[in-house]
Amino acid sequence: MSKYSKFALFLFIIFGSFFFFFKKNYLCGCILILLSSIPIFLIFKNEFLLLAFFKIKKQDMKGLQKYLGYVKNPELQLTKNQIAYYYFLNGILYSEKNIFQSENYMQKALDFGLKFKQNIAIAKLNLAIASLSKGDKKKAEFLLSEAKKTDISGLLHDQIQIIKIQIKKMNIGNRNRQNPYIRKKL
Protein backbone atom coordinates (compact mmCIF):
# COMPACT_ATOMS: atom_id res chain seq x y z
CA MET A 1 0.00 0.00 0.00
CA SER A 2 1.52 3.32 -1.00
CA LYS A 3 1.90 6.22 1.40
CA TYR A 4 -0.65 8.21 -0.60
CA SER A 5 -3.32 5.53 -0.27
CA LYS A 6 -2.62 5.39 3.49
CA PHE A 7 -3.14 9.14 3.64
CA ALA A 8 -6.41 8.81 1.67
CA LEU A 9 -7.57 6.12 4.12
CA PHE A 10 -6.74 8.48 6.99
CA LEU A 11 -8.82 11.26 5.42
CA PHE A 12 -11.73 8.87 4.81
CA ILE A 13 -11.72 7.75 8.45
CA ILE A 14 -11.45 11.34 9.74
CA PHE A 15 -14.40 12.47 7.59
CA GLY A 16 -16.34 9.46 8.88
CA SER A 17 -15.63 10.51 12.46
CA PHE A 18 -16.79 14.06 11.68
CA PHE A 19 -19.98 12.60 10.24
CA PHE A 20 -20.64 10.67 13.47
CA PHE A 21 -19.88 13.75 15.58
CA PHE A 22 -22.33 15.70 13.45
CA LYS A 23 -25.01 13.02 14.02
CA LYS A 24 -24.32 13.24 17.81
CA ASN A 25 -22.89 9.72 17.93
CA TYR A 26 -19.82 10.61 19.96
CA LEU A 27 -18.71 7.06 20.77
CA CYS A 28 -18.35 6.05 17.10
CA GLY A 29 -16.68 9.39 16.33
CA CYS A 30 -14.08 8.87 19.07
CA ILE A 31 -13.43 5.29 17.97
CA LEU A 32 -12.91 6.41 14.37
CA ILE A 33 -10.52 9.16 15.48
CA LEU A 34 -8.49 6.54 17.34
CA LEU A 35 -8.58 4.26 14.29
CA SER A 36 -7.38 7.11 12.08
CA SER A 37 -4.05 7.08 13.94
CA ILE A 38 -3.22 3.65 12.48
CA PRO A 39 -2.78 4.81 8.85
CA ILE A 40 -0.76 7.83 10.02
CA PHE A 41 1.50 5.55 12.08
CA LEU A 42 1.94 3.26 9.07
CA ILE A 43 2.92 6.20 6.85
CA PHE A 44 5.89 6.98 9.08
CA LYS A 45 6.64 3.39 10.13
CA ASN A 46 6.19 1.01 7.22
CA GLU A 47 4.69 -2.31 8.30
CA PHE A 48 7.01 -4.42 6.15
CA LEU A 49 10.12 -2.69 7.45
CA LEU A 50 8.94 -3.23 11.02
CA LEU A 51 8.43 -6.92 10.32
CA ALA A 52 11.85 -7.07 8.61
CA PHE A 53 13.51 -5.58 11.70
CA PHE A 54 11.83 -8.24 13.83
CA LYS A 55 13.14 -10.95 11.49
CA ILE A 56 16.68 -9.59 11.54
CA LYS A 57 16.56 -9.54 15.34
CA LYS A 58 15.78 -13.27 15.21
CA GLN A 59 18.53 -13.84 12.57
CA ASP A 60 15.90 -15.15 10.12
CA MET A 61 17.33 -14.12 6.74
CA LYS A 62 14.61 -15.91 4.74
CA GLY A 63 11.93 -13.97 6.59
CA LEU A 64 13.90 -10.77 6.08
CA GLN A 65 14.06 -11.41 2.34
CA LYS A 66 10.34 -12.21 2.28
CA TYR A 67 9.29 -8.94 3.95
CA LEU A 68 11.72 -6.83 1.96
CA GLY A 69 10.26 -8.42 -1.17
CA TYR A 70 6.86 -6.91 -0.37
CA VAL A 71 8.29 -3.44 -0.96
CA LYS A 72 8.15 -3.30 -4.75
CA ASN A 73 8.71 0.42 -5.30
CA PRO A 74 10.53 1.99 -2.33
CA GLU A 75 10.27 5.57 -3.62
CA LEU A 76 6.48 5.32 -3.80
CA GLN A 77 5.82 3.24 -0.70
CA LEU A 78 8.36 4.68 1.74
CA THR A 79 9.45 8.02 3.10
CA LYS A 80 13.05 9.19 2.60
CA ASN A 81 14.24 7.90 5.97
CA GLN A 82 12.51 4.56 5.41
CA ILE A 83 14.19 4.23 2.01
CA ALA A 84 17.56 4.52 3.75
CA TYR A 85 16.67 1.66 6.09
CA TYR A 86 15.23 -0.38 3.24
CA TYR A 87 18.59 -0.22 1.47
CA PHE A 88 20.40 -0.83 4.77
CA LEU A 89 18.42 -4.03 5.38
CA ASN A 90 19.04 -5.16 1.81
CA GLY A 91 22.75 -4.52 2.36
CA ILE A 92 22.71 -6.70 5.46
CA LEU A 93 20.79 -9.39 3.58
CA TYR A 94 23.29 -9.51 0.72
CA SER A 95 26.40 -9.11 2.89
CA GLU A 96 26.69 -12.88 3.21
CA LYS A 97 25.81 -13.72 -0.40
CA ASN A 98 27.27 -10.99 -2.60
CA ILE A 99 29.52 -8.37 -1.00
CA PHE A 100 29.52 -6.14 -4.08
CA GLN A 101 25.72 -5.96 -4.22
CA SER A 102 25.77 -5.30 -0.48
CA GLU A 103 28.22 -2.46 -1.11
CA ASN A 104 25.77 -0.81 -3.53
CA TYR A 105 22.91 -1.07 -1.06
CA MET A 106 24.98 0.24 1.85
CA GLN A 107 26.20 3.20 -0.22
CA LYS A 108 22.60 4.02 -1.18
CA ALA A 109 21.60 3.79 2.49
CA LEU A 110 24.32 6.24 3.47
CA ASP A 111 23.34 8.55 0.62
CA PHE A 112 19.71 8.62 1.73
CA GLY A 113 20.82 9.25 5.31
CA LEU A 114 20.74 6.68 8.07
CA LYS A 115 19.66 8.15 11.38
CA PHE A 116 21.48 6.17 14.05
CA LYS A 117 25.25 6.25 14.44
CA GLN A 118 25.45 2.51 15.08
CA ASN A 119 23.78 1.78 11.74
CA ILE A 120 26.13 4.23 10.01
CA ALA A 121 29.06 2.39 11.59
CA ILE A 122 27.75 -0.97 10.36
CA ALA A 123 27.28 0.40 6.85
CA LYS A 124 30.81 1.86 6.77
CA LEU A 125 32.25 -1.39 8.10
CA ASN A 126 30.54 -3.31 5.29
CA LEU A 127 31.85 -0.77 2.76
CA ALA A 128 35.35 -1.22 4.19
CA ILE A 129 35.08 -4.99 3.79
CA ALA A 130 33.94 -4.54 0.18
CA SER A 131 36.82 -2.14 -0.53
CA LEU A 132 39.27 -4.57 1.01
CA SER A 133 37.94 -7.40 -1.13
CA LYS A 134 38.48 -5.21 -4.20
CA GLY A 135 42.05 -4.55 -3.09
CA ASP A 136 41.61 -0.86 -2.26
CA LYS A 137 43.43 -0.73 1.09
CA LYS A 138 43.47 3.06 1.47
CA LYS A 139 39.73 3.36 1.07
CA ALA A 140 39.22 0.40 3.41
CA GLU A 141 41.42 2.01 6.07
CA PHE A 142 39.58 5.32 5.70
CA LEU A 143 36.15 3.68 5.99
CA LEU A 144 37.35 1.59 8.92
CA SER A 145 38.54 4.68 10.78
CA GLU A 146 35.17 6.37 10.12
CA ALA A 147 33.36 3.27 11.35
CA LYS A 148 35.46 3.33 14.50
CA LYS A 149 34.59 7.00 15.08
CA THR A 150 30.86 6.46 14.66
CA ASP A 151 30.77 3.27 16.76
CA ILE A 152 30.06 5.09 20.00
CA SER A 153 28.98 2.03 22.00
CA GLY A 154 31.93 -0.13 20.94
CA LEU A 155 29.83 -3.02 19.62
CA LEU A 156 31.89 -3.31 16.44
CA HIS A 157 35.30 -3.16 18.14
CA ASP A 158 36.10 -6.84 17.56
CA GLN A 159 35.06 -6.77 13.90
CA ILE A 160 37.11 -3.62 13.30
CA GLN A 161 40.17 -5.27 14.82
CA ILE A 162 39.71 -8.35 12.61
CA ILE A 163 39.53 -6.17 9.49
CA LYS A 164 42.67 -4.26 10.60
CA ILE A 165 44.51 -7.58 10.90
CA GLN A 166 43.36 -8.50 7.40
CA ILE A 167 44.69 -5.18 6.07
CA LYS A 168 48.06 -5.82 7.73
CA LYS A 169 48.19 -9.28 6.17
CA MET A 170 47.58 -7.74 2.76
CA ASN A 171 50.46 -5.31 3.35
CA ILE A 172 52.83 -8.13 4.29
CA GLY A 173 51.86 -10.09 1.20
CA ASN A 174 52.51 -7.11 -1.07
CA ARG A 175 56.04 -6.48 0.23
CA ASN A 176 57.28 -9.89 -0.83
CA ARG A 177 55.72 -9.74 -4.27
CA GLN A 178 57.78 -8.31 -7.11
CA ASN A 179 56.27 -5.65 -9.34
CA PRO A 180 55.53 -7.37 -12.70
CA TYR A 181 56.02 -4.13 -14.66
CA ILE A 182 59.67 -3.64 -13.69
CA ARG A 183 62.16 -5.34 -15.97
CA LYS A 184 64.79 -7.50 -14.45
CA LYS A 185 68.37 -6.35 -14.93
CA LEU A 186 70.46 -8.80 -16.91
Side-chain angles (χ1 to χ4, degrees):
M1 182 180 263
S2 74
K3 55 188 172 188
Y4 303 114
S5 59
K6 290 176 189 174
F7 187 70
L9 179 64
F10 164 74
L11 289 177
F12 180 73
I13 293 173
I14 283 292
F15 287 134
S17 68
F18 290 156
F19 174 75
F20 281 115
F21 279 128
F22 183 71
K23 293 289 187 180
K24 307 273 191 232
N25 191 348
Y26 298 115
L27 180 65
C28 289
C30 289
I31 290 173
L32 284 178
I33 283 181
L34 290 175
L35 286 177
S36 70
S37 65
I38 293 172
I40 290 298
F41 174 75
L42 292 178
I43 286 174
F44 295 108
K45 301 289 183 188
N46 187 279
E47 61 273 12
F48 297 121
L49 287 182
L50 290 173
L51 291 170
F53 273 114
F54 286 130
K55 289 297 181 178
I56 200 165
K57 191 175 182 180
K58 293 181 180 180
Q59 300 291 323
D60 182 14
M61 292 300 170
K62 288 183 181 179
L64 174 67
Q65 187 174 11
K66 173 186 167 189
Y67 288 121
L68 288 177
Y70 286 126
V71 180
K72 302 291 183 202
N73 189 355
E75 285 77 20
L76 182 64
Q77 288 178 290
L78 307 172
T79 61
K80 184 179 178 184
N81 191 27
Q82 291 173 348
I83 293 171
Y85 281 97
Y86 170 76
Y87 288 130
F88 177 71
L89 288 172
N90 271 312
I92 290 174
L93 179 67
Y94 287 106
S95 65
E96 296 175 1
K97 299 176 188 174
N98 187 353
I99 192 70
F100 301 114
Q101 193 171 10
S102 173
E103 177 187 20
N104 292 335
Y105 283 127
M106 288 296 183
Q107 189 60 49
K108 284 182 183 178
L110 287 174
D111 291 342
F112 274 102
L114 293 171
K115 226 180 353 181
F116 299 110
K117 288 190 176 194
Q118 195 64 35
N119 294 338
I120 294 170
I122 291 170
K124 289 187 179 182
L125 180 67
N126 279 341
L127 288 173
I129 292 169
S131 296
L132 189 62
S133 65
K134 287 181 181 178
D136 191 1
K137 292 181 287 191
K138 290 191 184 230
K139 186 176 180 183
E141 288 173 348
F142 174 72
L143 288 168
L144 209 58
S145 66
E146 283 189 3
K148 189 175 182 179
K149 288 177 190 174
T150 55
D151 183 26
I152 54 175
S153 60
L155 290 174
L156 299 175
H157 179 74
D158 295 336
Q159 287 87 355
I160 290 172
Q161 294 303 322
I162 290 170
I163 301 302
K164 282 184 179 179
I165 291 170
Q166 293 296 325
I167 289 173
K168 287 179 184 176
K169 285 181 182 179
M170 282 183 69
N171 286 339
I172 291 171
N174 286 342
R175 279 188 218 148
N176 297 334
R177 198 178 319 155
Q178 184 179 359
N179 190 346
Y181 299 109
I182 296 177
R183 291 186 182 173
K184 292 182 181 180
K185 294 181 181 178
L186 296 174

